Amino acid sequence: MQRTLLTLLIVAGIATTYLLMLRGWRRSEARAAHIARPHDLLDAPVVSGPWCGRFLGTTLAGQWLQRVNAHTLGVRSDASIAVTTRGINVTRPGSTSFGIPTGDVIAARADSGIAGRAYGTGGIVVVTFTLGGELLEFGMRFPSTADHIAALAALSTTEVSS
């Protein structure tokens, strides 16, 4: 009898925790509902890339823990990023792919953390951009140092040319 009661209490605790996490995620989505839908992929020739890596998520600029959950921008996923003549394309299979026009790219830098993920100094490429008047940042992690350096150099050039 005591074992059954203890098992039910543990299951109830796990279910309550899950429901509270779901509630928090939905509230976060509601707070970000005003953020505009991202641009479709830019139909333009690729200048450099693509580089494949891990999309770590999108946050409000300067607030690396404030993940933007609207339009699946906060979802971690495999991704590739390419610089085109019109901006940056972020292709995410199974999630929303999007483009950032050159005029909306503010900066690209190496950083240590974004969206609740932290790596060694300069281990993440972070791109700051505007979307519908909102200043946002997304982070990419690449499996090789060569891809990291090449992507950062190309993205920094995109920022300068805007």
Side-chain angles (χ1 to χ4, degrees):
M1 178 67 177
Q2 286 181 342
R3 226 179 238 180
T4 305
L5 182 60
L6 184 58
T7 301
L8 288 175
L9 283 173
I10 290 172
V11 169
I14 291 170
T16 301
T17 302
Y18 174 75
L19 290 174
L20 289 172
M21 287 171 46
L22 182 63
R23 179 179 175 202
W25 186 264
R26 287 191 176 153
R27 289 177 107 183
S28 177
E29 283 179 332
R31 276 195 309 269
H34 70 283
I35 293 177
R37 184 159 199 76
H39 301 282
D40 291 331
L41 290 173
L42 305 172
D43 186 23
V46 173
V47 174
S48 56
W51 302 278
C52 295
R54 184 86 174 144
F55 182 85
L56 300 175
T58 304
T59 63
L60 299 176
Q63 299 177 21
W64 75 285
L65 292 175
Q66 289 295 319
R67 185 186 303 267
V68 173
N69 292 322
H71 315 296
T72 71
L73 289 173
V75 176
R76 290 186 187 113
S77 61
D78 290 330
S80 66
I81 187 168
V83 176
T84 70
T85 57
R86 293 183 47 216
I88 300 169
N89 278 341
V90 180
T91 306
R92 303 187 308 154
S95 204
T96 305
S97 297
F98 60 96
I100 304 169
T102 304
D104 292 346
V105 177
I106 306 298
R109 70 182 188 282
D111 209 333
S112 60
I114 193 164
R117 300 292 288 190
Y119 295 92
T121 304
I124 300 172
V125 173
V126 176
V127 177
T128 305
F129 65 102
T130 58
L131 180 61
E134 193 77 37
L135 197 58
L136 304 174
E137 295 177 329
F138 75 84
M140 289 283 297
R141 174 96 170 145
F142 299 100
S144 76
T145 303
D147 285 349
H148 178 89
I149 292 168
L152 185 59
L155 293 168
S156 295
T157 302
T158 302
E159 159 204 343
V160 170
S161 66
S162 60

